[in-house]
Short mmCIF file of all heavy atoms in Angstrom, two decimals:
data_model
loop_
_atom_site.label_atom_id
_atom_site.label_comp_id
_atom_site.label_asym_id
_atom_site.label_seq_id
_atom_site.Cartn_x
_atom_site.Cartn_y
_atom_site.Cartn_z
N VAL A 12 107.81 129.64 116.21
CA VAL A 12 107.24 128.30 116.21
C VAL A 12 106.42 128.14 117.49
O VAL A 12 106.87 128.49 118.58
CB VAL A 12 108.32 127.20 116.08
CG1 VAL A 12 109.33 127.26 117.21
CG2 VAL A 12 107.69 125.83 115.99
N LEU A 13 105.24 127.64 117.33
CA LEU A 13 104.34 127.38 118.45
C LEU A 13 104.31 125.88 118.69
O LEU A 13 104.03 125.10 117.78
CB LEU A 13 102.93 127.89 118.13
CG LEU A 13 101.88 127.69 119.22
CD1 LEU A 13 102.22 128.53 120.46
CD2 LEU A 13 100.49 128.04 118.69
N VAL A 14 104.61 125.48 119.93
CA VAL A 14 104.60 124.07 120.30
C VAL A 14 103.44 123.83 121.27
O VAL A 14 103.38 124.47 122.33
CB VAL A 14 105.94 123.65 120.94
CG1 VAL A 14 105.85 122.22 121.48
CG2 VAL A 14 107.08 123.77 119.95
N THR A 15 102.55 122.95 120.88
CA THR A 15 101.42 122.56 121.73
C THR A 15 101.34 121.04 121.75
O THR A 15 102.11 120.36 121.08
CB THR A 15 100.09 123.14 121.20
OG1 THR A 15 99.74 122.44 119.99
CG2 THR A 15 100.21 124.63 120.90
N ALA A 16 100.39 120.54 122.50
CA ALA A 16 100.22 119.09 122.57
C ALA A 16 99.88 118.50 121.20
O ALA A 16 100.04 117.30 120.97
CB ALA A 16 99.11 118.75 123.57
N ARG A 17 99.42 119.35 120.27
CA ARG A 17 99.08 118.88 118.92
C ARG A 17 100.29 118.84 118.01
O ARG A 17 100.21 118.35 116.88
CB ARG A 17 98.00 119.79 118.33
CG ARG A 17 96.70 119.78 119.11
CD ARG A 17 95.62 120.61 118.43
NE ARG A 17 96.03 122.00 118.25
CZ ARG A 17 95.99 122.92 119.20
NH1 ARG A 17 95.57 122.60 120.42
NH2 ARG A 17 96.37 124.16 118.96
N GLY A 18 101.43 119.38 118.47
CA GLY A 18 102.63 119.38 117.64
C GLY A 18 103.21 120.77 117.50
O GLY A 18 102.97 121.65 118.34
N ALA A 19 103.97 120.99 116.43
CA ALA A 19 104.65 122.27 116.20
C ALA A 19 104.12 122.92 114.93
O ALA A 19 103.85 122.25 113.93
CB ALA A 19 106.15 122.06 116.09
N GLN A 20 104.00 124.24 115.00
CA GLN A 20 103.55 125.02 113.85
C GLN A 20 104.50 126.20 113.67
O GLN A 20 104.72 126.98 114.60
CB GLN A 20 102.12 125.51 114.03
CG GLN A 20 101.56 126.22 112.81
CD GLN A 20 100.06 126.44 112.91
OE1 GLN A 20 99.42 125.98 113.85
NE2 GLN A 20 99.49 127.15 111.95
N LEU A 21 105.06 126.33 112.47
CA LEU A 21 105.97 127.42 112.14
C LEU A 21 105.21 128.55 111.47
O LEU A 21 104.47 128.32 110.51
CB LEU A 21 107.08 126.91 111.21
CG LEU A 21 108.05 127.97 110.68
CD1 LEU A 21 108.97 128.46 111.79
CD2 LEU A 21 108.87 127.41 109.51
N PHE A 22 105.44 129.77 111.95
CA PHE A 22 104.84 130.96 111.36
C PHE A 22 105.95 131.78 110.72
O PHE A 22 106.89 132.20 111.40
CB PHE A 22 104.12 131.79 112.44
CG PHE A 22 102.96 131.07 113.07
CD1 PHE A 22 103.16 130.21 114.14
CD2 PHE A 22 101.68 131.23 112.58
CE1 PHE A 22 102.11 129.54 114.73
CE2 PHE A 22 100.61 130.56 113.16
CZ PHE A 22 100.82 129.70 114.23
N THR A 23 105.85 132.01 109.43
CA THR A 23 106.85 132.78 108.72
C THR A 23 106.17 133.66 107.69
O THR A 23 104.94 133.70 107.61
CB THR A 23 107.90 131.84 108.07
OG1 THR A 23 109.00 132.60 107.59
CG2 THR A 23 107.30 131.01 106.95
N ASP A 24 106.97 134.40 106.90
CA ASP A 24 106.37 135.27 105.88
C ASP A 24 106.78 134.81 104.49
O ASP A 24 107.56 133.86 104.34
CB ASP A 24 106.71 136.74 106.13
CG ASP A 24 108.19 137.01 106.08
OD1 ASP A 24 108.82 136.73 105.04
OD2 ASP A 24 108.75 137.51 107.08
N SER A 25 106.30 135.53 103.49
CA SER A 25 106.46 135.08 102.10
C SER A 25 107.92 135.02 101.66
O SER A 25 108.27 134.26 100.75
CB SER A 25 105.68 136.00 101.16
OG SER A 25 106.13 137.34 101.27
N ARG A 26 108.80 135.80 102.31
CA ARG A 26 110.22 135.75 101.94
C ARG A 26 110.82 134.38 102.17
O ARG A 26 111.80 133.99 101.51
CB ARG A 26 111.01 136.79 102.75
CG ARG A 26 110.67 138.23 102.49
CD ARG A 26 111.39 139.13 103.47
NE ARG A 26 111.01 138.85 104.84
CZ ARG A 26 111.66 139.32 105.91
NH1 ARG A 26 112.74 140.07 105.75
NH2 ARG A 26 111.24 139.05 107.13
N TYR A 27 110.28 133.65 103.14
CA TYR A 27 110.87 132.37 103.54
C TYR A 27 109.97 131.17 103.22
O TYR A 27 110.26 130.06 103.68
CB TYR A 27 111.16 132.39 105.05
CG TYR A 27 112.12 133.47 105.47
CD1 TYR A 27 111.69 134.56 106.22
CD2 TYR A 27 113.45 133.41 105.10
CE1 TYR A 27 112.58 135.56 106.61
CE2 TYR A 27 114.35 134.40 105.49
CZ TYR A 27 113.91 135.47 106.24
OH TYR A 27 114.80 136.45 106.61
N ALA A 28 108.95 131.40 102.42
CA ALA A 28 108.02 130.31 102.13
C ALA A 28 108.72 129.14 101.45
O ALA A 28 108.52 127.97 101.83
CB ALA A 28 106.87 130.82 101.26
N GLU A 29 109.54 129.41 100.45
CA GLU A 29 110.26 128.35 99.75
C GLU A 29 111.30 127.71 100.65
O GLU A 29 111.53 126.49 100.61
CB GLU A 29 110.90 128.89 98.48
CG GLU A 29 109.92 129.28 97.39
CD GLU A 29 109.07 128.08 96.95
OE1 GLU A 29 109.64 127.00 96.73
OE2 GLU A 29 107.84 128.24 96.84
N GLN A 30 111.97 128.54 101.46
CA GLN A 30 112.96 128.01 102.39
C GLN A 30 112.32 127.05 103.38
O GLN A 30 112.90 126.01 103.71
CB GLN A 30 113.64 129.16 103.14
CG GLN A 30 114.87 128.75 103.95
CD GLN A 30 116.02 128.32 103.06
OE1 GLN A 30 116.26 128.93 102.03
NE2 GLN A 30 116.72 127.28 103.47
N ALA A 31 111.14 127.39 103.84
CA ALA A 31 110.44 126.52 104.79
C ALA A 31 110.13 125.16 104.16
O ALA A 31 110.23 124.13 104.82
CB ALA A 31 109.16 127.19 105.28
N LYS A 32 109.77 125.16 102.89
CA LYS A 32 109.48 123.90 102.21
C LYS A 32 110.71 122.99 102.18
O LYS A 32 110.60 121.76 102.29
CB LYS A 32 109.00 124.17 100.78
CG LYS A 32 107.64 124.81 100.67
CD LYS A 32 107.28 125.06 99.20
CE LYS A 32 105.96 125.78 99.07
NZ LYS A 32 105.63 126.06 97.63
N LYS A 33 111.89 123.60 102.04
CA LYS A 33 113.13 122.83 101.97
C LYS A 33 113.57 122.33 103.34
O LYS A 33 114.09 121.23 103.48
CB LYS A 33 114.24 123.69 101.36
CG LYS A 33 114.02 124.08 99.91
CD LYS A 33 115.16 124.98 99.42
CE LYS A 33 114.95 125.42 97.99
NZ LYS A 33 116.04 126.33 97.53
N ASP A 34 113.39 123.20 104.36
CA ASP A 34 113.97 122.92 105.67
C ASP A 34 113.09 122.09 106.59
O ASP A 34 113.60 121.29 107.38
CB ASP A 34 114.27 124.25 106.40
CG ASP A 34 115.40 125.04 105.76
OD1 ASP A 34 116.13 124.48 104.93
OD2 ASP A 34 115.53 126.24 106.09
N VAL A 35 111.80 122.30 106.51
CA VAL A 35 110.89 121.78 107.54
C VAL A 35 110.30 120.44 107.11
O VAL A 35 109.82 120.30 105.98
CB VAL A 35 109.77 122.81 107.82
CG1 VAL A 35 108.78 122.25 108.83
CG2 VAL A 35 110.38 124.11 108.34
N GLY A 36 110.33 119.49 108.03
CA GLY A 36 109.78 118.17 107.74
C GLY A 36 108.27 118.14 107.83
O GLY A 36 107.62 119.11 108.25
N PRO A 37 107.67 117.00 107.46
CA PRO A 37 106.21 116.89 107.43
C PRO A 37 105.54 116.94 108.80
O PRO A 37 104.33 117.11 108.90
CB PRO A 37 105.98 115.54 106.76
CG PRO A 37 107.24 114.75 107.04
CD PRO A 37 108.34 115.76 107.02
N ASP A 38 106.35 116.81 109.86
CA ASP A 38 105.77 116.81 111.20
C ASP A 38 105.63 118.21 111.78
O ASP A 38 105.22 118.38 112.93
CB ASP A 38 106.59 115.93 112.15
CG ASP A 38 108.08 116.26 112.12
OD1 ASP A 38 108.47 117.17 111.36
OD2 ASP A 38 108.85 115.60 112.84
#
């Protein structure tokens, strides 16, 4: 996860794409 003044961005791969949709909020 990269945190900058613009917010947070998660970098993951296709194995966890669906998991990220469930876990990660809109922010």
Side-chain angles (χ1 to χ4, degrees):
V12 59
L13 180 66
V14 173
T15 71
R17 298 184 302 279
Q20 186 169 354
L21 175 71
F22 296 86
T23 191
D24 61 58
S25 59
R26 295 173 299 168
Y27 299 110
E29 291 300 314
Q30 190 68 40
K32 291 179 183 178
K33 295 178 182 178
D34 292 345
V35 177
D38 51 0

